[in-house]
Amino acid sequence: MPLAVTHVLLTIILLDLFRDYIIKKKRLIPLHFIFIGGIAGLIPDIDIPIFWLLNLFKLNITWFHGTFTHLFLIPIAILAASLITYRYNKKAGILLGIISFGYGFHIFLDFLFYGCNISPFWPIITHNFNGLSHYLNIPGLEQGLDAFILLAWLWHEEVRHKISDFI
Ligand SMILES: [Zn+2]
């Protein structure tokens, strides 16, 4: 998996860019929705602390990270819930849509970088795939990516929102 910072930051950045440049209505997507979207970008890796917890109780379970929580079925179900909810409560529908994006984007990033042992497209496509890391051999790629994304975002925020005024 790309590191946690990449998952959270990249999700927040894409949502922020979408809000700033595409919909251009900040009231439709308040800042705390973007924050929640960033957290949703980390939820699929909940299988890691679950594994630790199960092992704490000496259940001798084999490493299952990147399997059942990394299926596109989950964000698709959240998106469906978002579309239904939107009819009755616009704000809640938008929030669910953002959570669906964050969750799905995490799976996309993991798949792009590392491929998979269990297909994220299950049950439609079930065979394994290799990710970019199988073809590229760049030591420290994940850490470099984290640093690059953070710096690019800070630069954007400085140019667009003058964040240094708040420091
Ligand atoms: Zn993951």
Side-chain angles (χ1 to χ4, degrees):
M1 59 161 196
L3 299 178
V5 174
T6 298
H7 279 305
V8 173
L9 263 188
L10 213 52
T11 307
I12 286 175
I13 289 167
L14 289 180
L15 287 170
D16 193 34
L17 292 175
F18 178 72
R19 186 175 92 122
D20 281 1
Y21 296 106
I22 296 173
I23 62 164
K24 296 176 182 168
K25 285 181 188 164
K26 293 195 174 189
R27 285 180 56 206
L28 217 55
I29 302 180
L31 261 184
H32 65 281
F33 278 20
I34 291 182
F35 173 73
I36 292 169
I39 302 223
L42 208 51
I43 292 175
D45 285 345
I46 192 97
D47 56 359
I48 296 173
I50 288 174
F51 173 80
W52 292 339
L53 200 67
L54 292 174
N55 259 10
L56 209 65
F57 295 108
K58 309 272 182 222
L59 292 175
N60 268 342
I61 291 170
T62 53
W63 180 238
F64 56 80
H65 171 58
T67 56
F68 64 90
T69 57
H70 287 64
L71 300 175
F72 281 117
L73 261 184
I74 297 168
I76 288 170
I78 299 170
L79 183 63
S82 146
L83 295 173
I84 294 165
T85 306
Y86 186 79
R87 290 174 160 208
Y88 307 101
N89 184 333
K90 283 193 167 107
K91 281 263 176 199
I94 289 169
L95 182 59
L96 280 172
I98 287 170
I99 291 170
S100 165
F101 171 77
Y103 199 112
F105 191 59
H106 177 113
I107 298 171
F108 168 76
L109 281 178
D110 276 4
F111 179 65
L112 184 70
F113 275 81
Y114 295 104
C116 58
N117 291 324
I118 289 179
S119 169
F121 306 106
W122 182 90
I124 297 165
I125 301 169
T126 53
H127 58 82
N128 300 351
F129 295 92
N130 289 322
L132 286 177
S133 65
H134 180 79
Y135 305 103
L136 306 170
N137 188 12
I138 305 172
L141 176 66
E142 293 150 321
Q143 290 83 356
L145 197 63
D146 262 11
F148 175 77
I149 291 167
L150 179 61
L151 291 174
W153 188 50
L154 285 174
W155 175 80
H156 170 267
E157 291 302 299
E158 174 57 21
V159 170
R160 178 91 180 172
H161 303 297
K162 296 276 176 235
I163 58 164
S164 60
D165 291 351
F166 301 99
I167 298 172

